[in-house]
Amino acid sequence: MTPSNDSTITLSVAGMTCGSCEMLVERSLKNIPGVLSVHAKQRKGRVVLHIDPDHPPSMDAITQAVTKAGYEIHDGTSAPPHKTAHESNKPRYMEIGAALVIIFALYKLAQTFDLASLAPSTAGSLTFGGVLLIGLVAGSSSCLAVTGGLLLAMAAKHNQIHQAESSSQKLRPLIQFNVGRLVSYFVLGGIVGLIGTAITLPIWTTAYLNIGVALVMLYLALTILGIIPKGAFPIRPPKALSHWISNLTEHDHPLAPIALGALTFFLPCGFTQSLQLAALASGGFAPGAMSMGVLAIGTLPALLGISFISSSARGSFSRIFLTFAGTLVFVLALFNLRSGFALAGFSVSLPAQQAVEATSENAVRLPVITGYEQEVRMKVTAYGYEPPELTIKSGVPVRFIIDGTQAGGCTQGFVIPSLGIQKVLQPGDNIIEFTPEKPGRIAFSCSMGMVRGAFNVL
Amino acid sequence: MQTTVSIPGIHCDACGKLIKSVSGDFPEITDIAVNLTTKTVTLTHADDFALDDWTKEIEGLGETYKVQRLS
């Protein structure tokens, strides 16, 4: 302990692990004669006392009070905080690494068994049974990456803050999220049917929405894993924004999870978009509301599964759950971030992806020039675009024919952000016409930015 | 007389001690038992004990403390 100047004393106190500890220490010390105010900082293991310089408190009384409260005073402020006391708040890199390995292995496994397809077959007529099936598939595939990731992030964060709550209490916000989602799908689906226009936001909005969701997830993942302390941003966005994010994700107000769930309607998921078309074709509130509502119900099993698992996590399993969920959310956040950037028109390719592009034979395939226009063909497959890279000439009108026969779910939405082109692919040939003005690259992707490709303009 | 309340925000030993420490300011409380597993607090107190005042003090400690009366 060191009197840094006449009126303050800084103590190094070990054993404080939570907010309650801080308050307990503060309460124990503030009634000692001569102590004017106490400020305990659990994370630093420090307690700062403001004292009356004329009547300083007795050190014995301070030591006694801290010991009685169940904590220990270290001599010298430079002493490192007690290790065991702080372990629970330190990022557990070993566990995070293990979780990463498991997630990667699971992904590879899913890929081997053809489960990681971005465009699971959703062929079939749009009966409510068919829509329900689409929902089931959507809920357990690409859409899960965003909506499920968001839910998981929320659940893990809630568990971390409210460790003490019972399972049913932990489940409450997650149910609210799903209710919000269900209601918004139902109502907005009905509106789509009524007004006969699909509610799609401009590409740039969905791009920033995607990036926004990804950043929220990234922030949550990093705080869950303890890599950045709660409330601290490595990059400092405007205070209002960070407050808004943390309020929305950590606030106990029941409207927050409901709003977050409702917001998922606007995530540019191909499943949602293609069903919006069906809803608007239905031409009425009730059928539109029914088909969108049924879609949301279809996604429920997967989302509720996440909810139940995360809310029933207890004891040491709860800690493992937090680490695993945090890592998974982190990975999904990066995935979504990349998708968001692709939608915003930045062509972000990872080295691995470029290698694939370079080896595909299409890199040299030149367009067929017929008269005054050039024709390029591309096929949508369950694994992406074939070919993913197309070569065209500048100044010549392009007739871009996309074979959408195998397009399903996510890949049904097709966007060329820089040209402002947004299309829902139909089975068979889909034609997009435009004229590239100058050489360079024109990126395109599915509506979520998950499947990507580009024109190489010569 | 005994009163049992549920405080879901209790999560560690320090919470229990904190609640006991606050309760020390209430002379009407003769005994207090904090159960960390069930997140309940059982108070043994005199008849004129003002539960509302105590609840106010406890809830003032932090927003995770919400007192719900059980019996």
Side-chain angles (χ1 to χ4, degrees):
Chain A
M1 55 197 84
T2 39
S4 51
N5 59 45
D6 282 350
S7 58
T8 65
I9 297 178
T10 303
L11 304 173
S12 182
V13 175
M16 296 189 293
T17 52
C18 64
S20 303
C21 298
E22 290 179 351
M23 279 189 280
L24 190 55
V25 170
E26 285 174 7
R27 274 186 69 87
S28 315
L29 291 175
K30 77 174 175 212
N31 290 331
I32 296 173
V35 175
L36 299 177
S37 71
V38 189
H39 192 69
K41 281 174 237 161
Q42 160 250 321
R43 219 179 294 137
K44 287 182 178 163
R46 295 267 172 84
V47 177
V48 179
L49 302 173
H50 287 272
I51 56 163
D52 184 348
D54 299 327
H55 307 279
S58 102
M59 277 301 169
D60 280 348
I62 291 174
T63 314
Q64 223 170 40
V66 171
T67 315
K68 199 178 156 224
Y71 304 90
E72 210 181 311
I73 292 186
H74 274 275
D75 274 327
T77 45
S78 59
H82 205 281
K83 200 111 194 242
T84 52
H86 283 254
E87 224 159 42
S88 61
N89 290 325
K90 279 257 171 67
R92 298 175 291 269
Y93 288 108
M94 282 297 284
E95 288 176 21
I96 295 169
L100 265 178
V101 169
I102 293 171
I103 290 166
F104 188 71
L106 284 178
Y107 176 73
K108 279 288 164 200
L109 207 66
Q111 227 174 19
T112 316
F113 288 102
D114 205 13
L115 294 171
S117 159
L118 285 164
S121 169
T122 51
S125 58
L126 290 178
T127 58
F128 287 135
V131 173
L132 189 67
L133 193 69
I134 293 177
L136 278 172
V137 173
S140 40
S141 67
S142 53
C143 287
L144 195 64
V146 184
T147 314
L150 199 61
L151 182 68
L152 188 61
M154 213 181 68
K157 193 74 211 167
H158 186 85
N159 282 9
Q160 196 180 34
I161 302 173
H162 304 277
Q163 288 173 11
E165 287 188 352
S166 66
S167 295
S168 57
Q169 281 171 316
K170 281 178 183 166
L171 195 58
R172 203 189 52 217
L174 307 181
I175 296 293
Q176 284 163 347
F177 178 91
N178 282 309
V179 166
R181 184 171 151 84
L182 219 62
V183 169
S184 87
Y185 271 62
F186 188 80
V187 171
L188 292 172
I191 292 171
V192 165
L194 203 61
I195 61 174
T197 335
I199 306 177
T200 39
L201 302 167
I203 302 173
W204 65 268
T205 325
T206 53
Y208 289 118
L209 192 62
N210 246 14
I211 293 173
V213 167
L215 287 179
V216 171
M217 284 167 64
L218 199 62
Y219 165 69
L220 287 176
L222 292 178
T223 53
I224 290 166
L225 294 176
I227 292 172
I228 54 170
K230 174 180 160 354
F233 269 89
I235 31 157
R236 293 212 69 88
K239 250 216 164 97
L241 180 71
S242 60
H243 275 283
W244 183 77
I245 290 178
S246 73
N247 282 348
L248 192 61
T249 51
E250 289 172 14
H251 210 277
D252 282 337
H253 199 280
L255 276 181
I258 289 179
L260 216 55
L263 202 72
T264 58
F265 183 84
F266 296 101
L267 290 172
C269 171
F271 291 103
T272 328
Q273 285 189 343
S274 55
L275 267 177
Q276 274 198 41
L277 282 188
L280 79 92
S282 67
F285 185 87
M290 278 309 286
S291 48
M292 292 309 286
V294 167
L295 172 78
I297 292 174
T299 59
L300 269 186
L303 294 177
L304 281 182
I306 296 178
S307 311
F308 278 114
I309 293 171
S310 55
S311 64
S312 57
R314 288 238 155 270
S316 61
F317 176 66
S318 155
R319 204 176 61 109
I320 294 168
F321 168 78
L322 275 182
T323 307
F324 192 79
T327 314
L328 187 60
V329 169
F330 179 74
V331 171
L332 290 176
L334 290 184
F335 181 73
N336 289 337
L337 198 61
R338 201 154 75 102
S339 303
F341 278 128
L343 279 182
F346 305 111
S347 177
V348 194
S349 357
L350 293 180
Q353 197 193 1
Q354 264 170 345
V356 174
E357 281 167 10
T359 51
S360 48
E361 21 76 59
N362 52 78
V364 286
R365 194 187 286 168
L366 285 167
V368 184
I369 299 191
T370 54
Y372 61 90
E373 51 172 32
Q374 48 185 336
E375 195 179 285
V376 278
R377 284 191 158 267
M378 189 186 78
K379 208 166 117 183
V380 180
T381 71
Y383 300 99
Y385 299 135
E386 185 54 47
E389 188 123 346
L390 298 153
T391 307
I392 50 174
K393 276 191 172 139
S394 61
V396 183
V398 173
R399 200 176 142 83
F400 183 24
I401 305 172
I402 306 167
D403 180 357
T405 311
Q406 289 183 49
C410 201
T411 51
Q412 261 182 298
F414 184 83
V415 294
I416 309 179
S418 58
L419 302 175
I421 293 172
Q422 216 169 354
K423 203 172 165 68
V424 177
L425 300 179
Q426 304 299 324
D429 284 355
N430 297 267
I431 296 159
I432 294 173
E433 290 182 305
F434 64 96
T435 307
E437 315 256 292
K438 55 183 190 305
R441 270 176 81 85
I442 299 175
F444 53 80
S445 66
C446 78
S447 58
M448 291 282 267
M450 291 178 183
V451 183
R452 291 172 287 266
F455 287 110
N456 198 5
V457 188
L458 299 176
Chain B
M1 216 183 131
Q2 273 198 345
T3 303
T4 304
V5 296
S6 158
I7 306 178
I10 298 178
H11 70 277
C12 66
D13 215 21
C15 299
K17 281 188 183 163
L18 189 58
I19 289 166
K20 284 181 188 166
S21 161
V22 171
S23 303
D25 299 344
F26 290 81
E28 302 90 352
I29 298 175
T30 48
D31 191 33
I32 174 166
V34 179
N35 187 329
L36 292 182
T37 338
T38 57
K39 332 271 181 214
T40 54
V41 177
T42 304
L43 304 166
T44 309
H45 55 80
D47 287 347
D48 61 344
F49 167 62
L51 183 66
D52 286 350
D53 291 349
W54 183 81
T55 302
K56 212 188 261 173
E57 283 294 313
I58 296 292
E59 293 189 344
L61 291 173
E63 50 185 47
T64 58
Y65 291 131
K66 290 278 174 284
V67 178
Q68 290 154 330
R69 187 168 179 173
L70 296 178
S71 65

